[in-house]
Amino acid sequence: AGNVVTWDGVRTSLAGTNVNEVRSVSVNVAGPSAPGTYTLRYDIVQEGVTWFSGRGMQTPTRSVSVVVGGYAAVYAPGTASVNGTPGSTITVPVTITNVGTLVWQPGSVNVSYHLIAASGAVFVWDGQRTAIPTALGRGQSVTVNVKILLPSIPSTYVARIEMVQEGVTWFSGHAIAPGSVTLLVQ
């Protein structure tokens, strides 16, 4: 048996099902973020009481493949927060790993950011660009000193750092979570 990735998955209601009734249901499944082949095991749970498989019910399994699309990245900022003076440009080291199928070409795919104000509103959507130093294929990583132009208004902001394929798409448009760094502008 392999490692359990998720034990307590997404629920699909069986409310209104009668004893001995056979029913076909469509279930919602939250897939793992890492590509690979997984075994999906269906089970029924009486909330707060028991899983039916734990009471001897045989539950069906299905092999599923998780494929990552072209736009996929993992971000690891080298710091959680940065201080800076209003209007200055700072750099934040971020290790970025390409986990998608698209080969990133310098100039075509860059690192950028969105600045979010303390209120949660977008303060800057289209941040400065920082070039990647070399082409990056699947599984390759690079640490980039991301250049961020700080706002002229002192406050706390969040920089959401992400990749952008110029003239095509931001990676977050493909459900790829950006990296996050708190900026203390004072």
Side-chain angles (χ1 to χ4, degrees), residues 32-44:
S33 59
T37 301
Y38 296 86
T39 299
L40 174 62
R41 181 176 305 279
Y42 299 96
D43 206 341
I44 300 173

Side-chain angles (χ1 to χ4, degrees), residues 114-140:
H114 315 295
L115 289 184
I116 310 302
S119 67
V122 174
F123 190 80
V124 171
W125 175 256
D126 206 16
Q128 284 189 329
R129 303 305 202 254
T130 303
I132 56 175
T134 185
L136 289 177
R138 182 181 184 87
Q140 294 180 310

Side-chain angles (χ1 to χ4, degrees), residues 82-132:
V82 177
N83 294 330
T85 57
S88 66
T89 298
I90 61 166
T91 58
V92 176
V94 180
T95 300
I96 304 166
T97 304
N98 181 348
V99 294
T101 57
L102 176 73
V103 175
W104 303 345
Q105 297 296 334
S108 175
V109 177
N110 292 305
V111 187
S112 189
Y113 58 89
H114 315 295
L115 289 184
I116 310 302
S119 67
V122 174
F123 190 80
V124 171
W125 175 256
D126 206 16
Q128 284 189 329
R129 303 305 202 254
T130 303
I132 56 175

Side-chain angles (χ1 to χ4, degrees), residues 5-7 11 44 47 50 87 119 134 153 161 165-166 169-170:
V5 176
T6 300
W7 175 257
R11 305 298 203 260
I44 300 173
E47 299 295 346
T50 189
S119 67
T134 185
I153 302 168
I161 299 167
Q165 185 176 21
E166 300 299 344
T169 190
W170 290 87

Side-chain angles (χ1 to χ4, degrees), residues 14-112:
L14 297 176
T17 305
N18 297 313
V19 174
N20 294 324
E21 178 182 350
V22 175
R23 181 187 287 190
S24 177
V25 294
S26 296
V27 297
N28 294 317
V29 176
S33 59
T37 301
Y38 296 86
T39 299
L40 174 62
R41 181 176 305 279
Y42 299 96
D43 206 341
I44 300 173
V45 62
Q46 184 176 5
E47 299 295 346
V49 179
T50 189
W51 290 90
F52 282 36
S53 63
R55 299 291 182 148
M57 179 179 174
Q58 292 194 3
T59 56
T61 61
R62 165 175 262 157
S63 180
V64 294
S65 294
V66 174
V67 179
V68 175
Y71 299 99
V74 175
Y75 306 95
T79 184
S81 65
V82 177
N83 294 330
T85 57
S88 66
T89 298
I90 61 166
T91 58
V92 176
V94 180
T95 300
I96 304 166
T97 304
N98 181 348
V99 294
T101 57
L102 176 73
V103 175
W104 303 345
Q105 297 296 334
S108 175
V109 177
N110 292 305
V111 187
S112 189

